[in-house]
Amino acid sequence: MPRAVREQQMMDAAVRTFGQRGYRAASMDEIAELAGVSKPLVYLYLNSKEELFTACIRREAQALVAAVQAGVEVGAAADRQLSSGLGAFFAHTASNPDGWAVLHQQARTHGEPFAAEVAAMRDEIVAFVTGLIGAAARETHGDSDLLQRDVAGLAQALVGAAESLAAWANDAEGVSAKEAAATLMNFAWAGLGNLMRGERWVPSSR
Amino acid sequence: MPRAVREQQMMDAAVRTFGQRGYRAASMDEIAELAGVSKPLVYLYLNSKEELFTACIRREAQALVAAVQAGVEVGAAADRQLSSGLGAFFAHTASNPDGWAVLHQQARTHGEPFAAEVAAMRDEIVAFVTGLIGAAARETHGDSDLLQRDVAGLAQALVGAAESLAAWANDAEGVSAKEAAATLMNFAWAGLGNLMRGERWVPSSR
Amino acid sequence: MPRAVREQQMMDAAVRTFGQRGYRAASMDEIAELAGVSKPLVYLYLNSKEELFTACIRREAQALVAAVQAGVEVGAAADRQLSSGLGAFFAHTASNPDGWAVLHQQARTHGEPFAAEVAAMRDEIVAFVTGLIGAAARETHGDSDLLQRDVAGLAQALVGAAESLAAWANDAEGVSAKEAAATLMNFAWAGLGNLMRGERWVPSSR
Amino acid sequence: MPRAVREQQMMDAAVRTFGQRGYRAASMDEIAELAGVSKPLVYLYLNSKEELFTACIRREAQALVAAVQAGVEVGAAADRQLSSGLGAFFAHTASNPDGWAVLHQQARTHGEPFAAEVAAMRDEIVAFVTGLIGAAARETHGDSDLLQRDVAGLAQALVGAAESLAAWANDAEGVSAKEAAATLMNFAWAGLGNLMRGERWVPSSR
DNA sequence: CATGAATGAGCTTTCATTCAT
DNA sequence: AATGAATGAAAGCTCATTCAT
């Protein structure tokens, strides 16, 4: 069996094991067995547990970014692009929960080098969302004095909310990717509108 | 030294170690040393690593719930109660990062029993928030058909958005934590209002 | 059983195993079993294979130096001191072949840090021998123009020869420590006499 | 490329690796890579690590013996033959340190079979030297009762002394290798003369 | 002739846990 | 109430060795 194929099998097994057991609790023995190969072969191809983990992170990050980009309705209005991207994001994480767990839970909690790998992907997504929100603002409400920083903050909040909801939607039965995306769009849109109108929440008098 | 005090010292050490190293990477040796006691004593008082972890989760969960409940301005309008509760939540997690890491990152990724412990706490908070939101809904908009699930999703999204904003505010120069919190409340309140009024985002035609 | 005693047992086993199998071929499993303890205890007390090896080297080096110093006839003429020291050296290495193998064969061939440990001991012995040879020269032949460097070279050669002979005498049956020492004294004394008389070997004419 | 050449390349790589890393630490992987061939080819030609090691020992032993034999001035006086033989020995070992390490350090410490291989070579050299010394004895001092064992001991001592002097000459500034070699021959010839004349060192009275 | 693919066995090291005192 | 002493079990990693092609 050619090396490239074997490597993918190993990484499939590794993502599943890392995602379900956690980085530390996942044993190379288990990964090898799940991949249907011997342990030395895993080391021969992927060198060490750390490198294997890094390879998983990179592969899953690229897959996620690719899924989101493929989901965006190019040419549509910015809000629809955002909404379809969110839908693709929720759909991908829902259909690939172990990969999402690796990125969201494992990579961020086991050392700077791993976290940096995910941070790069996240920055890419945030930049993409920031661009969309800015475009949406111009399209929907015309030019405004919306500050760059406000848009950036909103994008950060939106991405964070989406990440958090992804984990939750996977657990709670009956929440579809589309529903989750719609709920989030409601928030984002409302928040965006308020920001542009300069309306901020002020506490009630009582 | 009385047993109760010793136990708290051990749990302090355990929370710090679990939070920083992760459940698996934390060793009983390190915890005992950090607590300034011998390892057998840790076992005498807390029986096993799992039970020690469970005890930490429970203590930190109760502390968090207590902090939130203590933070709400009783008798104020519902929005102010929500706002003050959120403030207390963020203040507590920020000042107690190891405890929050134990609840948020460790407990959820190391087996059903631990996750259940945290879920119970979250349900308690969600119920509390649901009550507040219900009151707010009646006060501000009359009756509404807000579902429990919507509120839970909102809570989840809020936490994710808050974490994301916190990290961003720390990194980006010139963005204060206060501004980030304001953005968040703004975001939450606007979205909540929309949800309660039954106003939902509808896609642009293009 | 108190820690100090156990540690000596472990080092006894380690010296024997390192001496007979070699550093790499010696397994911590075998050492632990030979010492009658479990492997983790070896690690608890001696930290790692490298540190265990270092501890063995240090102990055996000190034992050898002590044996030689104890064997020297204090107050006797320099040549007798040298002879008795050599005898003690051969006797010690013969009765403790594993220790000698650790110092002479293993420590020198497994990395700078280990070799340095033995080099320090060797320098001590060489200095001692250099002093004796100098004294012997003055006693036996009166003052001469013997150069410091010649004495040092002779001492180096003598110690090297002794080290080499020790390994050989252990293998060949029937060579006693005294015989080996006497043989070596013959060489050393003859060489010393020649050096002092300025007589050097010159090739035959044919 | 013909088999014989390939085999020599592999053995070159093996001698270098065995000499520098030691028998156990040397890996077949490294040897194959250094030889520029694939691992199975090494096995096809040389069967196993043990056989490869044995082949190296044999080749290096023959090379050493050949170098010594080629170095002696045939027809010269016995002392000159001995001197030239010693010179050739030191020249060869100095210019081929890995081979010498294999013979002197590795082969003797990794099991009877390997040690026996070297012992055979040593016996050959010792027999050769014994012949020379016997001739020298007859030439210079008439018949003597020199035992084979004495000669073997002398050879052993000489090697040790030479190694020690070489290391010392390398370290100590201002001592040339030639001076050290002269000291050694001086030492050897004087001691040898004493032995052959039956003159032995006798302890001082004090 | 030569190699990419693959593995059984063994190594050093760590950890949660217990017992005798 | 508290600990020094001790271990079974398992983890990450490496290595000599073999096949199918």
Side-chain angles (χ1 to χ4, degrees):
Chain A
M1 186 165 309
R3 172 167 180 156
V5 177
R6 275 276 195 252
E7 274 185 356
Q8 289 308 312
Q9 290 177 348
M10 290 177 194
M11 287 174 61
D12 290 344
V15 166
R16 205 163 133 198
T17 311
F18 285 138
Q20 285 175 2
R21 298 249 190 278
Y23 177 64
R24 292 287 298 224
S27 89
M28 296 298 272
D29 268 295
E30 186 178 358
I31 292 171
E33 192 179 9
L34 191 59
V37 298
S38 71
K39 211 175 10 167
L41 199 59
V42 180
Y43 278 90
L44 188 62
Y45 286 178
L46 289 141
N47 301 321
S48 73
K49 195 181 187 182
E50 292 207 351
E51 280 192 37
L52 170 57
F53 191 43
T54 305
C56 289
I57 292 173
R58 250 194 282 254
R59 190 185 77 168
E60 294 304 313
Q62 284 173 1
L64 177 54
V65 169
V68 170
Q69 285 175 341
V72 171
E73 303 175 16
V74 259
D79 66 328
R80 292 186 66 150
Q81 289 194 39
L82 187 55
S83 154
S84 54
L86 277 174
F89 173 79
F90 286 120
H92 181 84
T93 55
S95 74
N96 190 16
D98 293 326
W100 176 241
V102 165
L103 293 177
H104 187 57
Q105 298 181 41
Q106 300 304 324
R108 311 184 91 143
T109 49
H110 289 99
E112 180 46 37
F114 302 137
E117 211 78 40
V118 200
M121 171 205 69
R122 190 180 204 276
D123 288 346
E124 200 175 335
I125 294 191
V126 168
F128 177 65
V129 170
T130 306
L132 283 185
I133 291 182
R138 278 186 299 278
E139 281 183 14
T140 323
H141 305 274
D143 269 7
S144 81
D145 58 349
L146 200 57
L147 294 175
Q148 177 74 16
R149 185 199 288 171
D150 285 323
V151 174
L154 188 55
Q156 283 285 350
L158 183 57
V159 170
E163 288 172 345
S164 190
L165 274 182
W168 172 77
N170 283 346
D171 289 354
E173 297 278 331
V175 179
S176 75
K178 239 176 218 164
E179 285 172 331
T183 298
L184 208 45
M185 281 306 287
N186 272 328
F187 275 91
W189 230 236
L192 185 58
N194 275 3
L195 278 179
M196 286 190 299
R197 280 188 300 274
E199 294 175 10
R200 315 235 157 203
W201 166 81
V202 287
S204 303
S205 55
R206 183 168 54 82
Chain B
M1 186 168 308
R3 168 161 182 161
V5 177
R6 274 266 202 263
E7 273 187 355
Q8 288 309 310
Q9 289 175 346
M10 290 177 195
M11 289 174 60
D12 289 344
V15 167
R16 204 162 133 198
T17 311
F18 284 137
Q20 286 175 0
R21 297 247 191 279
Y23 175 64
R24 291 287 299 221
S27 88
M28 296 297 273
D29 269 292
E30 185 177 357
I31 292 172
E33 190 181 7
L34 191 59
V37 299
S38 74
K39 222 179 351 173
L41 197 59
V42 179
Y43 277 88
L44 187 64
Y45 284 1
L46 289 143
N47 302 319
S48 74
K49 194 183 186 182
E50 293 208 349
E51 283 193 36
L52 170 57
F53 190 44
T54 306
C56 289
I57 293 173
R58 247 193 285 256
R59 190 184 79 169
E60 294 305 311
Q62 284 172 1
L64 177 54
V65 169
V68 170
Q69 286 176 340
V72 295
E73 306 173 16
V74 258
D79 66 328
R80 291 187 64 148
Q81 289 194 36
L82 184 55
S83 155
S84 53
L86 271 178
F89 175 82
F90 294 132
H92 181 84
T93 53
S95 74
N96 188 18
D98 293 327
W100 177 238
V102 165
L103 292 177
H104 185 59
Q105 299 179 36
Q106 299 304 324
R108 316 188 84 154
T109 48
H110 290 100
E112 187 39 45
F114 304 136
E117 210 77 39
V118 182
M121 170 205 71
R122 236 207 34 182
D123 288 347
E124 198 173 336
I125 292 196
V126 166
F128 178 66
V129 171
T130 308
L132 286 183
I133 292 179
R138 276 185 298 281
E139 279 182 15
T140 326
H141 311 277
D143 270 6
S144 87
D145 57 350
L146 259 192
L147 296 176
Q148 163 94 12
R149 185 207 283 170
D150 286 326
V151 176
L154 172 57
Q156 192 72 35
L158 271 184
V159 169
E163 286 175 342
S164 185
L165 281 175
W168 175 70
N170 280 347
D171 286 3
E173 298 280 330
V175 179
S176 77
K178 235 176 224 166
E179 284 174 320
T183 297
L184 185 62
M185 189 60 202
N186 217 1
F187 189 63
W189 203 241
L192 204 50
N194 275 2
L195 276 183
M196 288 190 297
R197 281 189 298 273
E199 295 174 10
R200 313 230 157 211
W201 163 81
V202 285
S204 305
S205 55
R206 182 169 55 84
Chain C
M1 186 165 310
R3 172 166 182 158
V5 176
R6 275 276 195 252
E7 274 187 356
Q8 288 309 311
Q9 290 176 347
M10 290 176 193
M11 287 174 61
D12 289 344
V15 166
R16 205 163 134 197
T17 311
F18 284 138
Q20 285 176 3
R21 297 250 190 277
Y23 176 64
R24 291 286 298 226
S27 89
M28 296 298 272
D29 267 296
E30 186 177 357
I31 292 172
E33 190 180 9
L34 191 59
V37 299
S38 72
K39 216 174 7 168
L41 199 58
V42 180
Y43 278 90
L44 188 62
Y45 285 177
L46 289 141
N47 301 320
S48 73
K49 195 181 187 182
E50 291 207 350
E51 280 193 36
L52 171 57
F53 191 43
T54 305
C56 289
I57 292 173
R58 249 194 283 254
R59 190 185 77 168
E60 294 304 314
Q62 284 173 1
L64 177 54
V65 169
V68 169
Q69 285 175 342
V72 171
E73 302 174 16
V74 259
D79 66 328
R80 292 186 65 150
Q81 289 193 38
L82 186 54
S83 155
S84 54
L86 278 174
F89 173 79
F90 286 120
H92 182 84
T93 55
S95 73
N96 189 16
D98 293 326
W100 177 241
V102 165
L103 292 178
H104 186 58
Q105 298 180 42
Q106 300 304 324
R108 313 183 91 144
T109 48
H110 289 100
E112 180 47 37
F114 302 137
E117 210 78 39
V118 199
M121 170 205 69
R122 192 180 202 275
D123 288 346
E124 201 175 334
I125 293 193
V126 168
F128 177 65
V129 170
T130 305
L132 284 185
I133 291 182
R138 279 186 299 278
E139 279 182 14
T140 323
H141 306 273
D143 269 7
S144 79
D145 58 350
L146 202 57
L147 295 175
Q148 177 74 17
R149 184 200 288 171
D150 285 323
V151 174
L154 188 56
Q156 284 284 350
L158 183 57
V159 170
E163 288 173 344
S164 190
L165 274 182
W168 172 77
N170 283 346
D171 289 353
E173 297 279 329
V175 179
S176 74
K178 240 177 217 162
E179 284 172 330
T183 298
L184 208 44
M185 281 305 287
N186 271 326
F187 275 90
W189 229 236
L192 186 57
N194 275 2
L195 279 180
M196 286 192 298
R197 280 189 299 274
E199 296 174 11
R200 313 234 159 203
W201 167 79
V202 286
S204 303
S205 54
R206 184 169 52 84
Chain D
M1 186 167 308
R3 169 162 181 160
V5 177
R6 274 265 202 264
E7 273 188 356
Q8 289 308 311
Q9 289 176 347
M10 291 177 193
M11 288 174 61
D12 289 344
V15 166
R16 203 161 134 198
T17 311
F18 284 138
Q20 285 175 2
R21 298 249 191 278
Y23 176 64
R24 290 290 296 224
S27 88
M28 296 298 272
D29 269 293
E30 186 177 357
I31 292 172
E33 191 181 8
L34 191 59
V37 299
S38 73
K39 222 178 353 171
L41 197 57
V42 179
Y43 277 88
L44 186 63
Y45 285 0
L46 289 142
N47 301 319
S48 74
K49 194 183 188 183
E50 293 208 348
E51 282 192 35
L52 171 56
F53 191 44
T54 305
C56 289
I57 293 173
R58 247 194 284 257
R59 189 184 80 168
E60 294 304 312
Q62 284 172 2
L64 177 54
V65 169
V68 170
Q69 287 176 340
V72 294
E73 306 173 15
V74 258
D79 66 328
R80 292 186 64 149
Q81 290 194 36
L82 184 56
S83 155
S84 53
L86 272 178
F89 175 82
F90 293 130
H92 181 84
T93 52
S95 73
N96 188 17
D98 292 327
W100 176 239
V102 165
L103 293 177
H104 186 60
Q105 299 180 37
Q106 299 305 325
R108 316 189 83 154
T109 47
H110 290 100
E112 188 36 46
F114 303 136
E117 210 77 40
V118 181
M121 169 205 71
R122 235 206 37 182
D123 288 347
E124 198 173 337
I125 293 196
V126 166
F128 178 65
V129 170
T130 309
L132 286 184
I133 292 180
R138 275 185 299 280
E139 278 181 16
T140 326
H141 310 279
D143 270 6
S144 87
D145 58 348
L146 259 191
L147 297 176
Q148 163 95 11
R149 186 208 283 171
D150 285 326
V151 176
L154 172 57
Q156 193 72 37
L158 271 183
V159 169
E163 286 174 343
S164 185
L165 282 175
W168 175 70
N170 280 348
D171 286 2
E173 297 279 330
V175 179
S176 77
K178 236 175 223 167
E179 284 173 319
T183 297
L184 184 62
M185 189 61 202
N186 217 2
F187 188 63
W189 204 242
L192 204 49
N194 274 2
L195 276 183
M196 289 190 294
R197 280 189 299 274
E199 293 174 11
R200 314 228 157 213
W201 162 81
V202 287
S204 304
S205 54
R206 183 169 54 83

